[in-house]
Amino acid sequence: VDDAGLPLSFDNQLVGQQLGEVVFQFGLKEAREIGWLPEYTVHHHGVRLTDAERRDYEQVSRKVTDAADHLTSAGFQTAQAWRLAAKGGKGGPLAQGFIGALAARKDFLYRISERSRVAARIAEEALQREIPPRMLLFHERVAEAGALYEELQRRLPQTPMALEHSELPAAARRSALARFRTGEVNVLVSVKSLVEGIDVPDADVGVSVASSSSVRQRIQTLGRVLRRRFDGGVKQAEMHVIYAHDTVDE
């Protein structure tokens, strides 16, 4: 990002300056047209907050607004908060307060009750198909991923499934991925650690139970269900995105 906290173009980034200008671009549209990616659909599911959650959401949002006002009253822009927090100095504490308030609101939205219920319902309906798909369900937090896994086990006791996240022993993580790869289990619940840097087996349906606003991470998550089949079969991939209706999450 630049000094104002705004994204830099590739040519203005350090990598771009070292490697030179972009000489060729190959996008999602082109990849689909030549058959390198399967057909896919993206479904968005807006879940509502309970009355109690709505009151709590408004309270944490007021803290964000107050922190933003304190920052701007001191002559800084909210887009500068991350740079100011890292740099320290006069605006450092105000920037840290604003970032902390944003993080608290984000964590609150990750934990709203309807996310797991809707995710479980999506899984239930998908697994009732004549040929049950292989499913990946992603959450942003380990605790919530664990709670979702338990909810799915309760609702779908006959469905083999596995849990994978960074706080599990390495052997347990490898076992979960191996069982999903071989088809021993066809539902895998994980957190964003699975999105970045891990070779994940092929899946037909992805459910983003809670996701970052990072475009890069959203693309990586979608990419987990857009792997092409090479056995001659035709794949129709699905991505389900769950978000909190009438909040900043939307």
Side-chain angles (χ1 to χ4, degrees):
V1 295
D2 61 18
D3 289 342
L6 300 174
L8 288 168
S9 67
F10 177 79
D11 291 341
N12 290 324
Q13 295 177 29
L14 180 60
V15 172
Q17 293 170 354
Q18 294 294 321
L19 295 180
E21 64 181 15
V22 175
V23 295
F24 180 73
Q25 292 186 355
F26 187 79
L28 187 64
K29 180 176 182 291
E30 291 80 10
R32 291 180 67 189
E33 287 176 346
I34 68 171
W36 283 10
L37 293 177
E39 290 299 314
Y40 71 93
T41 55
V42 179
H43 306 271
H44 294 86
H45 307 266
V47 298
R48 295 185 180 276
L49 278 63
T50 66
D51 290 342
E53 287 171 341
R54 175 60 61 182
R55 289 192 293 270
D56 290 341
Y57 171 74
E58 291 173 353
Q59 182 176 4
V60 296
S61 291
R62 282 195 294 272
K63 292 181 179 179
V64 172
T65 301
D66 290 345
D69 288 344
H70 292 151
L71 189 61
T72 54
S73 295
F76 303 104
Q77 299 178 1
T78 54
Q80 298 175 286
W82 287 264
R83 183 178 63 83
L84 291 170
K87 184 178 179 181
K90 178 184 175 182
L94 293 174
Q96 291 169 0
F98 174 67
I99 293 170
L102 285 177
R105 181 168 65 183
K106 181 182 294 185
D107 284 341
F108 171 78
L109 289 174
Y110 286 159
R111 296 192 303 270
I112 63 172
S113 58
E114 281 288 90
R115 287 193 191 273
S116 290
R117 185 190 69 80
V118 172
R121 181 64 181 271
I122 293 170
E124 283 180 312
E125 292 183 354
L127 293 169
Q128 289 173 2
R129 298 171 187 172
E130 184 177 354
I131 301 178
R134 294 209 289 174
M135 301 187 66
L136 286 170
L137 294 97
F138 301 95
H139 214 300
E140 281 286 306
R141 297 289 185 268
V142 167
E144 280 68 43
L148 173 61
Y149 177 70
E150 293 175 359
E151 174 74 5
L152 288 170
Q153 285 187 311
R154 184 183 67 80
R155 286 174 172 260
L156 303 165
Q158 304 303 317
T159 301
M161 60 186 69
L163 174 66
E164 191 283 339
H165 58 68
S166 59
E167 294 185 9
L168 290 173
R173 300 182 70 185
R174 288 194 298 269
S175 174
L177 290 172
R179 292 165 64 208
F180 189 72
R181 182 175 288 108
T182 61
E184 182 181 346
V185 302
N186 59 348
V187 175
L188 182 62
V189 180
S190 185
V191 293
K192 63 182 179 181
S193 63
L194 192 65
V195 177
E196 301 176 353
I198 297 179
D199 182 22
V200 183
D202 186 35
D204 306 300
V205 177
V207 182
S208 182
V209 184
S211 64
S212 165
S213 59
S214 164
V215 173
R216 174 183 57 81
Q217 190 179 120
R218 289 168 65 88
I219 292 172
Q220 287 179 321
T221 303
L222 177 60
R224 293 307 187 189
V225 299
L226 286 185
R227 295 191 175 189
R228 177 186 173 190
R229 292 180 58 175
F230 291 94
D231 58 2
V234 178
K235 176 178 177 179
Q236 176 69 45
E238 293 178 27
M239 189 71 204
H240 297 263
V241 180
I242 300 174
Y243 66 92
H245 172 65
D246 194 25
T247 72
V248 293
D249 200 34
E250 188 167 19

